[in-house]
Amino acid sequence: MNALLASLRSQWAERSPREQWLLAVLALIIAGLGSWYLVAAPLIDFRNSARTAYVDSVERYRNLSVGVARYQALLANADAAAGDDSRPLRTIVAERAAAMELPLSRMVPDEDGRLNVWTESTSAERLMAWLTDLDRQSGIVAIRANIEREGDGLARAQIVLERGPG
């Protein structure tokens, strides 16, 4: 090791002051570039990626909070709709049919508290969506259904509805 250092010192001494100054500046430039690319740049990249990850987490948290608030609002609306069960079955069915633009031709209550409903010729998809809506929003279920297809996606139905359990 001493031989190597002695060799470097002798080579340094052989250089002119101008060459020594240029080599010192070159060594400083190499040290600066090395410290930048080996230390500073990786630290800055790490900080930027950590900041991006933090911003993404905050955004996901906000989206989750909004989703939870929507879910709680839906639950509150469902509870409020369940509280409307005191209204007559005929009123709820007619209201939901009007909201979904489903033409009803006749509604006849029976002695068991059920409601017999006949629909005009309408879209089968709309009919199924109405039945699903009645179940989800008001807890009214179809006990029996007779659905006749009329072509072109149309159907006519006779359905017996009642309030579901709960």
Side-chain angles (χ1 to χ4, degrees), residues 73-83 136-137:
L74 286 173
L75 284 179
N77 288 342
D79 291 342
R136 287 186 182 156
Q137 297 293 328

Side-chain angles (χ1 to χ4, degrees), residues 147-165:
I147 301 173
E148 298 174 11
R149 292 189 137 192
E150 295 186 346
D152 295 334
L154 299 177
R156 181 183 305 249
Q158 190 273 323
I159 305 167
V160 179
L161 300 170
E162 77 174 2
R163 293 184 193 275

Side-chain angles (χ1 to χ4, degrees), residues 4 27-28 47 65 134 143 151:
L4 178 63
L28 284 174
R47 184 189 68 188
S65 297
L134 279 174
I143 300 302

Side-chain angles (χ1 to χ4, degrees), residues 119-131:
T119 66
E120 296 286 333
S121 182
T122 186
S123 163
E125 289 178 19
R126 184 176 294 166
L127 179 64
M128 292 301 139
W130 174 67
L131 289 172

